[in-house]
Amino acid sequence: MSDDNGTQETPAGSAPGPRPEPIRFFGTTWVDHANGYTVRRIGAAVGSLAAAVASCLVLRFAYEGLAIADIGSFVTLLMVVMFAICSALAFRHTWDGFTKRPDPDRQASLRGLLAIGFVGSLLAYFFRSLTEAPGEKLHREEYEAALKQHEKRTTRRSGNPSKKRRRS
């Protein structure tokens, strides 16, 4: 159970306070970079690059299918430009999603564009995996803010407030 601040109710015997939000493929290993974090980052980078290469091969087959169908150079050019633009937009949207929470309504409206530009999303995931777990910076900022807020809330005042002297 968690509240709006990211803090979670904890069972008896466990440490109170906020818990880190897991990241896909990394879990909570991003917090202290332990338990195979580096291997997971390498795996995520290699996997996303391999998926991007395989996707480009599939798109090449689609392009060859258009060439075999002899539908005309204008339609073929239109398809290539559409995939290039959608991939560039998907790359940018995915890249921005690693540093700030995306708006759910905007995300829903861009679902088709992101599906067409899937190669851009895979490449963004690959490039981010080279430096950190994708989304780690955002999650770390939120987690550290939740820790500070939790620390502020749990810091106790010293002394008895009823014995405080009043100013005259």
Side-chain angles (χ1 to χ4, degrees), residues 67-131:
I68 291 170
D70 196 28
I71 58 172
S73 60
F74 177 72
V75 175
T76 304
L77 178 67
L78 197 61
M79 292 295 289
V80 170
V81 169
M82 178 204 55
F83 273 106
I85 290 173
C86 289
S87 290
L89 291 173
F91 179 93
R92 184 66 183 165
H93 181 75
T94 304
W95 191 264
D96 288 343
F98 295 142
T99 55
K100 61 184 176 188
R101 294 276 177 186
D103 178 31
D105 294 332
R106 185 169 185 262
Q107 185 84 7
S109 68
L110 292 176
R111 188 171 294 135
L113 179 121
L114 295 174
I116 294 169
F118 60 97
V119 175
S121 293
L122 289 169
L123 289 175
Y125 204 84
F126 166 71
F127 286 119
R128 184 57 79 158
S129 294
L130 295 176
T131 57

Side-chain angles (χ1 to χ4, degrees), residues 1 11 27 30 33 40 46 56 76 84 86 93 96 98 100 129 132 138 149 151-152:
M1 200 54 78
W30 61 267
H33 294 186
R40 290 176 190 217
V46 169
C56 287
T76 304
C86 289
H93 181 75
D96 288 343
F98 295 142
K100 61 184 176 188
S129 294
E132 67 177 6
L138 172 67
Q149 187 177 25
E151 182 66 29
K152 277 173 135 178

